[in-house]
């Protein structure tokens, strides 16, 4: 388990680090088109950015007003350290605190077992998003 710190904040506060991680993971690694990576929802989301012991931004995720968790990304150096799980757990906690009945996410199919370990249940059929297989998953509080 790595030693990490997670900051929560709005896009204005965390955009620099969150967008750098998202571009590295989604655009560079996974070849998601850059023009669809940032969207108008960023401005209304609660964002999380995780930092390692040296202060490097290593992971991010966001919670939308409707209870969707999205843009979960962890840099290669941070994978397998528990930081992704810590981010998703913190965003779930914030959703629960504000009274959301459930959280929903569109998981990359390869990541579905990760979310299942955190209590998410698959909903419906696999679908394609930005050329990557996804599945909707939900957790009811």
């Amino acid at each position: 388990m790595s030693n990490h710190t997670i900051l929560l904040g709005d896009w204005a506060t965390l955009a620099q680090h969150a967008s750098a991680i998202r571009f590295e993971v989604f655009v560079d690694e996974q070849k998601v088109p850059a023009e669809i990576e940032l969207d108008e929802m960023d401005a209304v989301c609660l964002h999380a950015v995780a930092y390692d012991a040296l202060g490097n931004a290593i992971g991010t995720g966001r919670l939308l007003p409707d209870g969707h968790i999205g843009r979960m990304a962890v840099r290669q150096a941070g994978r397998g350290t528990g930081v992704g799980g810590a981010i998703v757990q913190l965003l779930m906690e914030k959703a629960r605190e504000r009274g959301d009945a459930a959280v929903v996410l569109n998981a990359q199919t390869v990541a579905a077992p990760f979310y299942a370990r955190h209590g998410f249940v698959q909903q419906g059929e696999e679908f394609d998003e930005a050329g990557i297989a996804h599945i909707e998953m939900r957790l009811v509080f």
Side-chain angles (χ1 to χ4, degrees), residues 26-107:
F26 297 129
V27 179
D28 299 343
E29 266 185 59
Q30 299 182 350
K31 308 303 179 209
V32 170
E35 59 273 11
I36 67 168
E37 180 25 50
L38 303 177
D39 63 21
E40 69 285 350
M41 295 309 295
D42 277 323
V44 297
C45 287
L46 175 67
H47 295 269
V49 175
Y51 298 87
D52 66 15
L54 300 173
N56 301 305
I58 54 168
T60 190
R62 71 181 189 181
L63 177 63
L64 283 81
D66 68 358
H68 269 79
I69 290 175
R71 299 302 199 272
M72 285 284 304
V74 176
R75 286 187 160 134
Q76 277 180 320
R79 292 181 196 157
T81 65
V83 72
I87 292 168
V88 79
Q89 288 286 342
L90 184 58
L91 292 174
M92 287 161 58
E93 190 181 306
K94 292 297 158 188
R96 189 188 286 117
E97 279 174 13
R98 72 181 185 189
D100 292 4
V103 280
V104 183
L105 51 82
N106 291 338

Side-chain angles (χ1 to χ4, degrees), residues 9-21:
D10 62 11
W11 188 238
T13 307
L14 296 175
Q16 184 186 348
H17 292 153
S19 61
I21 296 165

